[in-house]
Amino acid sequence: MSNKQEFLQSVRESLKKRTKIEYPKIPTYEKENVDLKSLFEINLKLAAVDFYDVSSVEEAQKIMQEKLPDTKVVCSATDEWKGNKDINKIARPQDLADVDLGIFRAEFGVAEMGMVWVTEKSLKVNAIGFLSQHLAVLLDPANITENMHTAYNIPGLFDVNYGCFVMGPSATADIGAVLVRGAQGAKSLTLFFLKK
Amino acid sequence: MKVALFVPCYIDLIYPEVAIATLELLEKHNIEVVVPLNQTCCGQPTANEGDQKNSAKMEKVFAQNFQDLNVDYIVGPAGSCVKQIKLHFDAIEQTEKVTAMRAKTIELVEFFTDVLKITDFSDLSFPHTVAIHNSCSSIRGLHISSRSEWQEPRFNKTEELLKTIQNINIKHINRPDECCGFGGTFCVTDEAVSAKMGQDKVSDYVRNEIEYVVSPDMSCLMHQKGVSDKEKTGLKFLHVAQVLNNGPF
Amino acid sequence: MKKVNIEKNAAAFIYQDDVHVTEHDKNLWNARVKRDKAASEIPEWEELRNLASAIKEHTLTHLDQYIEQFVENAEKRGIKVHFAKDAIEHNAIAYEILSSHNVKNIIKSKSMLQEECGMTPFLEEKGINVLETDLGERIQQLSGQLPSHIVMPAIHQTKEDVAKLFAEKIGTDPNDTDPSSLNTAMRNNARPKFLVADAGMTGGNFAIAETGTFVVCTNEGNADLTASLPPLHIASIGIEKILPKVEDLGVFIRILSRSALGTPATQYTSHFSGPRAGSTMHIILTDNGRSKRLAMDEFWTSLKCIRCGACMNTCPVYRRSSGLAYSATYSGPIGIIIDPTFDPKKYSELPYHSSLCGSCTEVCPVHINIAEQIMDWRKVMMKNKEVDFSRRMAFKAAGVVLSNPKLFRVVEKVAYNAINILPEAITENKTLDPWAAHRKLPDVKKETFRDWYIKNRKSNEQ
C-alpha cells in the first residue's frame, strides 16, 4: 500500500499544472421575517412526517397508541418516555431488531428541509434510529434553525462521532421510479413538538 | 448597411429557397447584400468529430471568401453554422482578420432583434398553429432564447419575431428545447438513437396539433421532416426567413 | 480490452420492445422536470451553483494540503486512514482489513468507487459474501448487471422485470408488480442479513478536511444500518470528494438531491467523525487515476463531479440508451468524459455517443463544461487514430470536397443526379443508407442557390 508521501507526491506533480483558485465567501441566505416553526411544518409534511403539538409525553404516547395499536416492543433513548425495552441494558445493537417503535429526542430541526439532527448522544445506540419499524421523535419547537447554512454553522456540530440529519421516514424510488416509504429504515416518523 | 450572406452548404443544395428568402428579406429592409460565390462549408461536420485537420481546410476556404469583405456583418440563416464560426472555428491561425470576421458573423434572427431592432411583422398573416424549434446550438451556444436548465428570465428571440404576425397561433410543445436528434453526423453514426429522438419530437408536435414547425435552423428540420414524412404525419416545416419574407415556400 | 460498441448497445435497448425505452425516457425526464421545479423554489439557486463550482475548484487546486488536513483530523478521532494509489491497492487493503477481522459477510451501501475498483468480485473470489443494501444496487446484484444510473441503479428495469427477478431470486409472486409489496419483500429478505454482517462498507459523498468527517447521503437509511450494526466500518473515498470546511456542506447538501431527484435532500445525511464506542473505523483514501486527471488541462474539472446524475437525467441520448449501453461504472455525459481516462481504447467510441446538444453542461450543479469536454475527447480520439478507419477516411474525403469550391459544385450535381436517377429501392435501402432507415430522403434541388443567384443577381457577383 502506498505511503502517504508517495500518494501526496502524485497529487503535487499534477498541481504544478494548475493555477490556484481562491476560496469563495459563503453567505447564510437567511431570509427576513421567517416563521421558523411554520416553514418547518410545511417541509415536515412534504417529507411525510406527521406532527403534533403536545404538552406532555402522555399525550404523545396516546397518539402513538392510536396510530399503531399493534405495537409490542417500545424502546426509548430518552428518559422522558419509558418504553418496555431498556436501551441501557442491550448488549449489542442487533438486539434492537425487534423494536416496533423507537423514540428519541432530536437536538434541533432545520426549517428549510423538515430535517431533525440526531447524534450518538440523542440515540444512545445509533441503530435505534434505523432498526425501529416506526419512530416517534420529540423536538423542542424553540430548537429550529432556518436552513442548511445556519445548521452547519452551529459550533461543535461534529464533536460527536456520529450525527445524522433525518428527513422523514426512509424512502426509495428504485422500482419503476415509484416513491415508496419504508425502504430499509423506519416506515413512518411522527414528530411531537414538546418543550424539553 | 452592407452585409455578406453566408449560405450553409446544405442550404445551397437542398433548401435554396431559404437562402432566397433570407436574401429578399434583408433587401426588403434596405440592406445591401453581397454573396461570395466560392463559399462551401463552415467546417462543422468534421469539427464536431474532432477532426481539426480537415476542418482547417474548410475554415481556410471560408476565411478566403469572407475575411476581406468590406461589410458590417456576415449574416447566416443557420444557428449551428453561425455558432461554429463564432465559438469554434479555431483550426486555422487566429489572425486579426479571422478574429474580426468571426466577431461580425451573426445569425439571422439575432440580426433582426439585436442589430436592426426590428420585430414588427404585423403586416403579414400566417393563420396556422406553429411550433417554434430553436436548435441546441442556437439556445445554448448563441443564447437565442433562455435555457430551461437555468433559473433566468425567460425570452425567445425567434418568438419575438413571429408573434406580431397576424392570425398566427404559436404553441409550446411538451419538451420545447429537447434535442431533436440531428446532431450532424450523429444522425447517421448513431442512427437508432437519433431516429428515436426525431420520432419523439415529431410525436410531440402531433400530440399538440401543430401544423407548421418554424425554425431558424434548417438542419434540424431536415432531420425532423425526414422522420415526419416517413411517418406521413402531414407536418410542414419552414425556415423563419420563409415566414418573415412570405415565401418562397 | 474489447472496444465498447455503444451505438449497437443503445440500438438493442431501443428495439427490444415498445416499453423499456419509453418508460426509461419518461422516468428520467420526470427527474429533470422535478429538478427544474426544485431549483425554481430557491431564489439563490444560480449563486449556489457558482459557489459549489468555486469551492471544488479551490479545493482541487490545493488538494495536497486538504488531503493532509483531512487525514490528520480523521486520525485524531481514531479513524485509521489508508492510501490506495489504484484499484488493485484499494482491493488489497480492503481484503487485508477484512481478513484481519475474520470477516465472512459484509453489507455495503452504494459506492461508485468500490464499483470502479471491481471490489465485489474480488472479495467474493476470496470467499467473502458481499450484500448490497441499496435496493437498486441489490436488484442489479441479483440481475448480474452493473448499475445503470448513478442514483437509480435499476431504473432501466420495469416493475414487471423486478417482479420476475424477485420471484426467481427471493420467492415472491411473479404477478405482483406493485412497487410497495416488492419493496417490502426485499426489506424482509435483506433485514436478517444486516443483523449477521461482520463488517459494513460505505462510500463517501463528501469528506471534510477541517474535522476529518465523511458524509454519506442515502434515502433508504441503508448506510446508517451498515454503519451502526457491525463492529467494523470501512469507507472508500476518492480524493476528489474532499471539501475544506463544515460550512461547505451547507451549499452541497442544498444542491445535491435537488439536482438528482428534485427533492430538497436525501432522507438521511449521515456524518461520521469517528468510530462508535467498541468498534473500528477505516478509510481507504483512493487515487485510481484522479491525480493523473488533475494534470489534464481540458479534463481536470471533471473531478468536481458530485455524482448527482442530473446530466444523465437531461441527456436525450442517455435516456434512450440506458446506462448499461456504456459498459462502464460511469455512464451518461459524465461517463463519456471520465471513462476514457480509465481505458482510452475500450471507451474510444463513447465520446461520439452524443448529439452535442449541451444540456448536460447547463444542468451540472458544479458547472462542469461537459459538452466541451466531449468535443475535446473527440479531438484526442481523432489524433490518436482511435476512431474507425472508414469514418476517418469519410472525413478525409469530406475535407477534400468541402475545401475545394469547384469540386463541391461537382459533387452537388452528382448528388442531385444520384438521388433522382437511382431507384428508391437503393436510395431508401437501410443498409446502404442509415439515414433512410427511419427517414425519407430530403429533396435535392436541381437549381442550387448559387445557380439561382448567378441567374437572377449577376450584377452583384464578387
Side-chain angles (χ1 to χ4, degrees):
Chain A
M1 93 126 175
S2 298
N3 69 37
K4 185 161 82 172
Q5 287 320 311
E6 276 170 36
F7 194 82
L8 287 171
Q9 196 45 39
S10 305
V11 174
R12 288 186 181 123
E13 273 306 307
S14 298
L15 285 179
K16 288 180 182 160
K17 299 201 75 192
R18 300 273 66 86
T19 312
K20 291 200 184 312
I21 288 170
E22 265 186 51
Y23 184 72
K25 188 159 181 357
I26 303 171
T28 57
Y29 295 109
E30 286 161 277
K31 307 278 186 294
E32 299 259 311
N33 304 320
V34 179
D35 180 344
L36 292 175
K37 186 164 182 280
S38 297
L39 181 59
F40 186 57
E41 288 173 352
I42 290 170
N43 289 306
L44 282 176
K45 197 146 174 260
L46 288 171
V49 176
D50 286 338
F51 54 88
Y52 304 86
D53 289 279
V54 294
S55 41
S56 69
V57 167
E58 287 72 35
E59 249 187 273
Q61 286 169 332
K62 196 156 170 275
I63 293 170
M64 287 316 296
Q65 257 153 28
E66 277 168 29
K67 265 186 116 180
L68 303 168
D70 296 331
T71 301
K72 291 190 182 54
V73 181
V74 179
C75 186
S76 172
T78 172
D79 294 334
E80 309 161 81
W81 185 318
K82 299 246 177 309
N84 54 21
K85 183 170 178 128
D86 190 347
I87 199 167
N88 299 303
K89 297 233 168 82
I90 67 151
R92 308 155 62 230
Q94 288 83 349
D95 296 343
L96 292 171
D98 60 352
V99 174
D100 297 312
L101 177 64
I103 298 130
F104 50 84
R105 175 174 278 279
E107 296 172 39
F108 66 84
V110 183
E112 175 192 2
M113 300 292 196
M115 283 170 167
V116 294
W117 174 250
V118 294
T119 69
E120 66 221 12
K121 293 205 171 90
S122 35
L123 294 172
K124 293 232 172 87
V125 177
N126 295 348
I128 194 173
F130 314 100
L131 277 181
S132 308
Q133 301 286 352
H134 300 273
L135 291 173
V137 179
L138 305 177
L139 178 69
D140 187 332
N143 292 349
I144 299 174
T145 187
E146 189 174 333
N147 60 31
M148 296 316 296
H149 304 290
T150 58
Y152 279 115
N153 279 334
I154 292 172
L157 198 64
F158 297 160
D159 286 350
V160 286
N161 285 342
Y162 176 75
C164 184
F165 284 117
V166 178
M167 191 176 89
S170 75
T172 179
D174 275 332
I175 298 179
V178 175
L179 182 69
V180 166
R181 297 273 171 202
Q184 313 286 12
K187 295 180 204 168
S188 79
L189 193 152
T190 310
L191 186 136
F192 297 100
F193 289 110
L194 175 65
K195 273 212 254 291
K196 182 137 190 166
Chain B
M1 184 174 310
K2 192 168 167 197
V3 308
L5 185 63
F6 162 29
V7 184
C9 52
Y10 62 94
I11 288 191
D12 191 52
L13 176 63
I14 304 172
Y15 301 109
E17 61 273 17
V18 170
I20 296 169
T22 306
L23 175 63
E24 290 179 352
L25 182 66
L26 291 168
E27 288 174 339
K28 269 183 192 155
H29 288 86
N30 301 314
I31 314 273
E32 194 191 331
V33 184
V34 299
V35 181
L37 289 176
N38 286 323
Q39 55 181 304
T40 56
C41 176
C42 62
Q44 197 188 172
T46 46
N48 278 354
E49 293 279 322
D51 187 349
Q52 288 292 78
K53 214 161 124 221
N54 284 307
S55 296
K57 295 186 183 146
M58 292 175 233
E59 288 181 14
K60 199 157 153 245
V61 171
F62 188 91
Q64 278 166 357
N65 273 273
F66 286 95
Q67 69 186 354
D68 293 311
L69 296 179
N70 186 14
V71 292
D72 302 301
Y73 292 94
I74 299 164
V75 179
S80 62
C81 308
V82 167
K83 175 191 169 222
Q84 176 64 21
I85 308 293
K86 290 194 87 64
L87 302 185
H88 302 296
F89 207 88
D90 52 7
I92 58 169
E93 192 196 337
Q94 300 297 295
T95 61
E96 246 183 71
K97 274 191 185 171
V98 166
T99 309
M101 175 192 79
R102 291 178 62 189
K104 57 165 103 151
T105 305
I106 188 168
E107 184 273 329
L108 180 66
V109 167
E110 296 200 300
F111 183 65
F112 271 82
T113 57
D114 298 357
V115 174
L116 299 180
K117 300 211 201 308
I118 291 172
T119 56
D120 185 356
F121 289 90
S122 51
D123 55 333
L124 300 172
S125 173
F126 196 77
H128 302 287
T129 305
V130 165
I132 294 172
H133 176 77
N134 284 322
S135 65
C136 298
S137 302
S138 300
I139 299 171
R140 300 181 188 100
L142 300 177
H143 219 28
I144 199 181
S145 77
S146 52
R147 300 156 293 185
S148 61
E149 298 93 344
W150 285 70
Q151 293 308 306
E152 57 184 9
R154 302 287 171 222
F155 67 91
N156 184 336
K157 293 181 186 177
T158 313
E159 189 163 344
E160 263 178 67
L161 292 184
L162 292 170
K163 71 178 188 214
T164 58
I165 297 176
Q166 305 270 13
N167 308 311
I168 197 169
N169 177 21
I170 297 173
K171 246 185 131 178
H172 295 146
I173 59 175
N174 299 34
R175 300 188 192 179
D177 64 358
E178 186 191 25
C179 179
C180 69
F182 175 59
T185 48
F186 177 79
C187 69
V188 289
T189 57
D190 225 318
E191 194 277 327
V193 175
S194 166
K196 185 77 180 87
M197 287 165 72
Q199 286 161 354
D200 289 346
K201 180 66 78 176
V202 167
S203 298
D204 206 348
Y205 293 137
V206 169
R207 197 181 316 128
N208 283 283
E209 297 171 327
I210 302 296
E211 292 173 68
Y212 280 87
V213 179
V214 178
S215 175
D217 233 313
M218 216 55 205
S219 52
C220 301
L221 295 196
M222 180 166 66
H223 158 74
Q224 293 177 29
K225 182 169 166 23
V227 171
S228 171
D229 286 352
K230 189 106 181 184
E231 297 185 351
K232 298 189 169 61
T233 65
L235 273 168
K236 299 189 251 297
F237 296 84
L238 290 178
H239 190 278
V240 67
Q242 294 171 281
V243 177
L244 297 177
N245 189 52
N246 205 17
F249 290 115
Chain C
M1 267 274 106
K2 194 160 170 252
K3 187 152 85 157
V4 173
N5 187 339
I6 191 169
E7 288 94 8
K8 188 154 154 252
N9 296 340
F13 182 70
I14 293 172
Y15 296 133
Q16 64 180 301
D17 56 32
D18 281 329
V19 173
H20 281 82
V21 67
T22 307
E23 281 300 299
H24 189 254
D25 171 69
K26 181 186 78 167
N27 289 332
L28 292 179
W29 179 255
N30 279 341
R32 157 75 208 276
V33 169
K34 287 198 278 203
R35 169 231 175 241
D36 291 352
K37 180 157 184 295
S40 70
E41 289 162 3
I42 312 282
E44 59 268 19
W45 178 258
E46 296 302 343
E47 272 182 61
L48 289 177
R49 291 214 279 169
N50 293 341
L51 283 171
S53 176
I55 294 168
K56 280 281 182 176
E57 290 191 3
H58 165 80
T59 314
L60 289 167
T61 55
H62 295 79
L63 192 58
D64 57 336
Q65 82 193 43
Y66 285 118
I67 292 175
E68 282 199 290
Q69 192 188 7
F70 175 75
V71 174
E72 192 189 316
N73 287 318
E75 287 179 336
K76 263 190 208 150
R77 300 287 290 270
I79 305 177
K80 299 186 181 16
V81 182
H82 311 259
F83 302 92
K85 75 166 191 264
D86 56 23
I88 295 173
E89 280 193 1
H90 170 276
N91 295 341
I93 293 166
Y95 180 64
E96 198 193 306
I97 301 169
L98 292 169
S99 58
S100 70
H101 282 80
N102 296 314
V103 170
K104 283 284 165 287
N105 298 292
I106 71 164
I107 48 176
K108 68 185 284 294
S109 67
K110 204 143 57 91
S111 164
M112 300 312 292
L113 174 58
Q114 288 167 354
E115 206 75 64
E116 198 184 295
C117 295
M119 184 192 79
T120 298
F122 176 84
L123 291 178
E124 287 183 333
E125 224 213 328
K126 300 244 186 259
I128 296 180
N129 295 318
V130 178
L131 178 76
E132 291 284 351
T133 61
D134 175 275
L135 178 58
E137 289 283 349
R138 181 84 181 114
I139 291 171
Q140 290 310 95
Q141 186 177 37
L142 290 174
S143 306
Q145 292 173 343
L146 287 178
S148 74
H149 185 285
I150 266 178
V151 171
M152 297 172 278
I155 196 68
H156 62 293
Q157 301 207 34
T158 60
K159 47 186 167 57
E160 288 76 17
D161 292 334
V162 176
K164 198 161 148 241
L165 176 74
F166 281 12
E168 205 187 314
K169 301 283 181 176
I170 66 173
T172 51
D173 172 7
N175 296 312
D176 185 357
T177 61
D178 173 41
S180 244
S181 66
L182 288 170
N183 175 60
T184 304
M186 182 48 81
R187 178 195 172 93
N188 295 335
N189 177 275
R191 201 173 156 96
K193 300 187 171 79
F194 292 161
L195 302 175
V196 300
D198 307 308
M201 293 190 76
T202 68
N205 293 76
F206 308 103
I208 308 299
E210 191 181 23
T211 56
T213 304
F214 63 95
V215 186
V216 186
C217 304
T218 70
N219 284 311
E220 297 177 43
N222 55 310
D224 305 276
L225 280 169
T226 299
S228 67
L229 294 172
L232 170 62
H233 177 179
I234 305 172
S236 303
I237 302 180
I239 53 176
E240 85 282 28
K241 297 303 181 71
I242 293 176
L243 294 174
K245 300 190 188 171
V246 175
E247 71 172 311
D248 298 331
L249 289 171
V251 173
F252 286 96
I253 299 302
R254 293 184 81 201
I255 61 172
L256 175 61
S257 196
R258 287 181 169 115
S259 299
L261 295 171
T263 56
T266 50
Q267 312 299 114
Y268 301 89
T269 309
S270 313
H271 309 72
F272 299 94
S273 305
R276 294 187 338 253
S279 74
T280 332
M281 186 177 272
H282 295 252
I283 291 174
I284 310 176
L285 205 53
T286 310
D287 184 334
N288 200 30
R290 287 152 176 76
S291 60
K292 196 163 132 233
R293 221 187 313 155
L294 187 56
M296 295 173 154
D297 295 343
E298 290 91 1
F299 308 119
W300 72 276
T301 56
S302 63
L303 290 165
K304 292 193 280 183
C305 177
I306 61 173
R307 309 284 193 264
C308 70
C311 59
M312 294 170 191
N313 299 341
T314 200
C315 177
V317 174
Y318 174 86
R319 275 186 272 113
R320 294 168 177 87
S321 311
S322 99
L324 295 184
Y326 299 70
S327 294
T329 304
Y330 304 99
S331 55
I334 188 70
I336 285 181
I337 63 172
I338 68 181
D339 294 332
T341 62
F342 294 118
D343 191 333
K345 286 201 193 305
K346 182 178 181 192
Y347 298 119
S348 60
E349 281 292 314
L350 262 55
Y352 293 92
H353 195 59
S354 164
S355 64
L356 296 176
C357 80
S359 190
C360 47
T361 300
E362 312 300 343
V363 293
C364 180
V366 288
H367 290 317
I368 302 172
N369 58 338
I370 304 176
E372 258 177 55
Q373 293 191 29
I374 293 175
M375 275 289 287
D376 286 332
W377 271 114
R378 292 182 182 191
K379 290 183 184 152
V380 170
M381 294 306 173
M382 258 308 168
K383 202 155 148 244
N384 298 344
K385 296 194 173 23
E386 295 289 356
V387 178
D388 257 299
F389 179 75
S390 58
R391 192 133 137 194
R392 277 187 283 126
M393 287 303 116
F395 285 109
K396 200 161 177 204
V400 168
V401 170
L402 292 167
S403 59
N404 186 325
K406 288 203 173 69
L407 191 52
F408 179 58
R409 308 290 159 222
V410 169
V411 170
E412 281 185 310
K413 291 288 169 251
V414 169
Y416 170 74
N417 288 322
I419 288 176
N420 285 287
I421 289 169
L422 291 173
E424 264 190 17
I426 293 186
T427 58
E428 308 254 321
N429 183 298
K430 288 181 198 190
T431 314
L432 291 178
D433 179 5
W435 174 276
H438 293 96
R439 307 177 196 87
K440 273 198 83 62
L441 284 173
D443 289 319
V444 173
K445 302 297 190 310
K446 182 161 194 166
E447 187 181 65
T448 64
F449 172 73
R450 189 174 174 280
D451 294 335
W452 176 93
Y453 186 78
I454 291 172
K455 199 161 90 183
N456 294 284
R457 300 295 175 83
K458 218 167 168 185
S459 56
N460 281 358
E461 189 176 335
Q462 284 229 336

